[in-house]
Amino acid sequence: MRFSYLALVIILLVVLGVVGYGLYDWFKTREGLMKIEIYVEKMRVTITPSMDIGLGLDLTLVNKGSDSVSIDRILYEIYINNISVGVGNYSSRIDIAPGGVVSVTSQIILHRASLGEAVINSLLSGKYSTKLTVYLYKDTLLGSLKVIKEIVYSE
């Protein structure tokens, strides 16, 4: 009987330790991802072999924090006049040292119907805005962590 109480206490302490470390890691990772700044260096229109219209992206990620940051994957979504016109991803792990800079090249596949709607909307309204939404993901002990960054251009 005494042994089972001792075993229960030890198991409880181990579980609390794992959950405590998981929470610490989650908050530390989130803080690190929030300190990442993203710049678009170049965009270029491409045509894929299957005749899809693509948008090549060259991004620069800058770690403004004092700790190393790892990103497991990145998803992108591009909007023209608040209409989603394409999505893309970068699925390789990225490690950025404190104060470090990393360049990423990726491709967004544009949806023809949405792109046409956005262009017509821009012509009719006389206004043009583009937003690139970047989702940074890091897998932690407590699940996948997502931080959203947006880059907006308006005219």
Side-chain angles (χ1 to χ4, degrees):
M1 186 70 147
R2 190 172 198 203
F3 177 74
S4 61
Y5 286 128
L6 181 61
L8 185 62
V9 168
I10 291 172
I11 290 171
L12 184 61
L13 288 175
V14 169
V15 168
L16 287 174
V18 169
V19 170
Y21 174 77
L23 285 171
Y24 168 79
D25 182 51
W26 190 89
F27 282 107
K28 191 77 168 163
T29 300
R30 183 176 184 282
E31 180 184 325
L33 289 175
M34 294 296 289
K35 291 182 180 175
I36 297 292
E37 292 185 4
I38 301 172
Y39 303 98
V40 177
E41 297 299 329
K42 188 188 316 182
M43 283 188 185
R44 62 201 164 282
V45 176
T46 60
I47 305 293
T48 66
S50 62
M51 299 305 291
D52 287 328
I53 300 171
L55 185 64
L57 279 180
D58 292 345
L59 300 177
T60 299
L61 285 73
V62 180
N63 182 358
K64 295 290 189 174
S66 58
D67 294 321
S68 293
V69 174
S70 295
I71 302 168
D72 289 327
R73 64 194 169 284
I74 303 174
L75 299 178
Y76 312 97
E77 191 164 13
I78 191 161
Y79 296 85
I80 297 176
N81 284 4
N82 293 323
I83 298 170
S84 175
V85 296
V87 295
N89 67 59
Y90 185 84
S91 57
S92 297
R93 181 183 166 107
I94 301 168
D95 294 312
I96 310 172
V101 176
V102 172
S103 296
V104 173
T105 299
S106 188
Q107 175 104 352
I108 293 179
I109 300 299
L110 300 176
H111 308 297
R112 293 173 195 238
S114 300
L115 185 59
E117 180 185 352
V119 169
I120 290 170
N121 182 298
S122 296
L123 292 173
L124 293 176
S125 69
K127 296 179 181 175
Y128 175 80
S129 67
T130 303
K131 176 173 69 173
L132 178 65
T133 303
V134 181
Y135 304 91
L136 305 174
Y137 287 92
K138 174 68 178 144
D139 296 327
T140 68
L141 189 63
L142 298 180
S144 189
L145 175 63
K146 173 174 71 173
V147 171
I148 302 170
K149 302 282 188 168
E150 291 184 342
I151 303 167
V152 179
Y153 300 98
S154 296
E155 286 188 21

